[in-house]
Amino acid sequence: VRNFDVAIRCGYLSTLKGGKVEVEKDRLIGVEGSRIAYVGTPIPFEADETIDASGKWVIPGLVNTHTHLPMTLFRGYSDDVPLNEWLTKHIFPAEARLVDPEFCRLGTELALVEALKSGTTSFLDMYYFEDDIAEVVDRSGMRAWLGQSVIDFPAPDNKSFDGGDYRILDRMVERWKGHERVSPVIAPHAPYTCSDATLKRAAEYGRKHDILLSIHVSETAFEQAESQKNFGKSPTQRLHDIGLMDCGCVFAHCVHVSEADMDLMAKKGVACAHNPESNMKLGSGAAPIRAMMDRGVTVGLGTDGCASNNDLNMIREMDSGAKLAKLSARDNAAVSAADMLRMATWEGAKALRALDRIGSIEEGKLADIVTIDLEHPHLQPVHEVPSLIYSLQGFEVSEVLCHGRVLLRQGRPTLLSPAGILERLREYRGRVGL
Ligand SMILES: [Zn+2]
């Protein structure tokens, strides 16, 4: 008789092993400590906790490869105005006024509880005060790669422009590098907000400390055109020539990349974080994900921040991503439900260079596992299990394990307190006038 800390009886199981989307019936998962110790046909076992997922679909924890966690506090803040005006007249001034460690901590808590309830276990974040965000993530039991922003103008955590960003980075590397769940990342904001010197320094820092680098690239047609005008080359070509693509890189968006850009990304092993809902909402366009994938570029899925989505629901993002790809290709076979599930799990883990630890349910990997309750009218009858992504809303997520710990049980967070967070949010809004 095997002994597990947590055992999960699975009705349907998609392990994503080898990046393949298959559906097995009546399987057992055994978890010991932080790791998966058994996946297979049911065997005799004893466990401290047994999760009955016999009427559920079990998948790996979802990996959100691009977000700005604290921006939950800007959810619905001045929507539906032109992008440039939205950024320069609304978001940047509000950030300058409000973004401090308290804002980032509260916004992150709200983000984590929302994302947990819809099946996300891992994030790649980009924002300010990431050392504060790191502590909140650590306490939540979730997993994150936290990208401290570097940008060529005074930022909320670098107001006097005297190296505050790199002091935070140094603290993060010192405290979190090698941590099991929290990893420091360097995040130059974008090619159009960073000089060559700033980008070079960031790349050197990333290489020196062997940490990931994340950056927004080719989000809009305007950005692509400005780069041609100012530098005589595309943003991707410029980043390549600077040497930035020699780091482990995740490029967010890549909506307007050329064929040559995509070839460079494939050659350099640079991953794309695809954010379909943000790209639609901001009217940016549709990233050529089929063309990227066909060239061997790793494409992960992301929600972007809550100001441009307006949620952190990776389950709905899979649905939106499939539909946007079909619409933009005028081809309903361009991207499948299975492709999107792979993008939200296996490929996301690959983008984060963490495929040896997460991204699939396999013996020896960390236990990041999601169960989805199928006993809902809008999900029945189940003919093709992966097709569920076209009807799931996110609230059907029942259990979430991260690093072997049950963080969501029957839809209720075990560590985070949604009611407490909402209460503090009300108090905060009243106090700061948000
Ligand atoms: Zn973004």
Side-chain angles (χ1 to χ4, degrees):
V1 175
R2 290 282 299 264
N3 250 293
F4 302 125
D5 294 319
V6 182
I8 309 171
R9 299 180 194 276
C10 311
Y12 298 106
L13 171 65
S14 294
T15 63
L16 270 291
K17 187 176 178 179
K20 287 199 183 68
V21 177
E22 289 169 342
V23 182
E24 301 169 56
K25 278 186 173 175
D26 302 318
R27 290 290 184 266
L28 178 75
I29 300 172
V31 175
E32 284 174 25
S34 60
R35 295 195 181 263
I36 297 164
Y38 180 80
V39 186
T41 51
I43 52 167
F45 69 91
E46 284 173 12
D48 294 345
E49 177 170 1
T50 301
I51 294 170
D52 177 16
S54 52
K56 296 173 185 170
W57 182 26
V58 181
I59 60 172
L62 302 176
V63 180
N64 185 343
T65 55
H66 181 67
T67 188
H68 311 283
L69 293 168
M71 291 189 85
T72 44
L73 298 192
F74 292 133
R75 193 193 320 266
Y77 185 82
S78 65
D79 281 329
D80 306 327
V81 294
L83 179 60
N84 196 42
E85 185 188 332
W86 174 75
L87 260 182
T88 56
K89 291 203 177 129
H90 301 275
I91 291 293
F92 286 158
E95 283 190 330
R97 183 169 76 87
L98 292 168
V99 174
D100 63 8
E102 186 188 14
F103 177 100
C104 289
R105 283 171 181 261
L106 182 58
T108 298
E109 281 193 69
L110 184 63
L112 295 178
V113 76
E114 177 192 351
L116 176 67
K117 281 163 72 81
S118 46
T120 296
T121 50
S122 295
F123 306 90
L124 171 53
D125 191 53
M126 288 175 70
Y127 211 58
Y128 308 106
F129 299 105
E130 288 284 352
D131 52 341
D132 286 278
I133 295 173
E135 287 177 20
V136 177
V137 170
D138 184 31
R139 278 204 308 275
S140 76
M142 297 172 80
R143 191 181 306 287
W145 281 254
L146 299 175
Q148 169 61 33
S149 290
V150 172
I151 193 165
D152 272 347
F153 55 77
D157 55 2
N158 189 22
K159 278 191 167 140
S160 37
F161 210 50
D162 61 351
D165 44 3
Y166 277 91
R167 284 196 294 279
I168 292 175
L169 275 161
D170 286 343
R171 282 204 293 279
M172 289 184 70
V173 168
E174 166 88 25
R175 171 137 182 226
W176 300 106
K177 191 157 173 242
H179 187 270
E180 291 179 310
R181 289 181 293 101
V182 177
S183 308
V185 173
I186 185 160
H189 174 263
Y192 62 91
T193 51
C194 295
S195 67
D196 283 4
T198 301
L199 293 167
K200 261 186 204 150
R201 184 177 173 203
E204 275 160 21
Y205 192 93
R207 270 197 300 274
K208 179 177 162 202
H209 294 288
D210 190 26
I211 58 175
L212 277 182
L213 182 150
S214 186
I215 180 167
H216 297 102
V217 179
S218 296
E219 182 173 2
T220 63
F222 180 75
E223 176 191 341
Q224 197 81 358
E226 282 292 289
S227 180
Q228 287 292 349
K229 200 171 86 187
N230 296 333
F231 301 98
K233 47 184 124 170
S234 72
T236 298
Q237 184 69 53
R238 182 173 154 229
L239 295 174
H240 172 268
D241 295 351
I242 284 169
L244 184 136
M245 291 168 81
D246 297 326
C247 289
C249 282
V250 179
F251 284 7
H253 299 304
C254 307
V255 175
H256 295 279
V257 285
S258 67
E259 295 196 352
D261 292 339
M262 291 188 264
D263 288 338
L264 275 180
M265 291 174 72
K267 188 174 142 210
K268 288 291 184 178
V270 165
C272 162
H274 175 46
N275 305 277
E277 291 193 6
S278 170
N279 297 155
M280 286 192 276
K281 182 166 179 271
L282 300 181
S284 307
I289 54 169
R290 182 76 268 162
M292 280 192 260
M293 294 190 295
D294 289 346
R295 280 175 162 80
V297 176
T298 300
V299 180
L301 190 65
T303 58
D304 209 349
C306 265
S308 49
N309 184 304
N310 291 355
D311 61 50
L312 301 172
N313 187 330
M314 284 285 288
I315 283 185
R316 294 205 341 175
E317 202 76 33
M318 286 193 271
D319 177 43
S320 305
K323 287 170 182 168
L324 176 62
K326 290 167 190 293
L327 173 68
S328 62
R330 303 282 199 278
D331 173 8
N332 78 325
V335 168
S336 67
D339 288 333
M340 295 311 298
L341 180 62
R342 185 184 308 110
M343 196 182 289
T345 54
W346 178 269
E347 299 294 331
K350 195 174 171 192
L352 297 171
R353 306 200 170 196
L355 209 42
D356 57 328
R357 285 168 287 153
I358 59 168
S360 59
I361 298 173
E362 295 180 64
E363 287 169 22
K365 280 202 176 183
L366 294 169
D368 291 8
I369 300 168
V370 170
T371 79
I372 299 170
D373 188 359
L374 304 182
E375 297 298 311
H376 292 281
H378 66 288
L379 301 179
Q380 293 292 334
V382 177
H383 293 297
E384 291 284 336
V385 173
S387 285
L388 286 164
I389 74 150
Y390 296 127
S391 39
L392 283 163
Q393 301 297 311
F395 67 83
E396 310 88 338
V397 168
S398 183
E399 276 75 33
V400 175
L401 278 76
C402 184
H403 211 70
R405 206 164 170 189
V406 181
L407 298 183
L408 194 78
R409 188 179 285 124
Q410 295 182 333
R412 280 189 293 276
T414 58
L415 276 186
L416 295 163
S417 157
I421 293 165
L422 294 183
E423 179 55 37
R424 280 172 35 231
L425 177 59
R426 268 189 293 279
E427 185 276 328
Y428 177 83
R429 291 190 66 188
R431 177 156 49 84
V432 307
L434 173 65

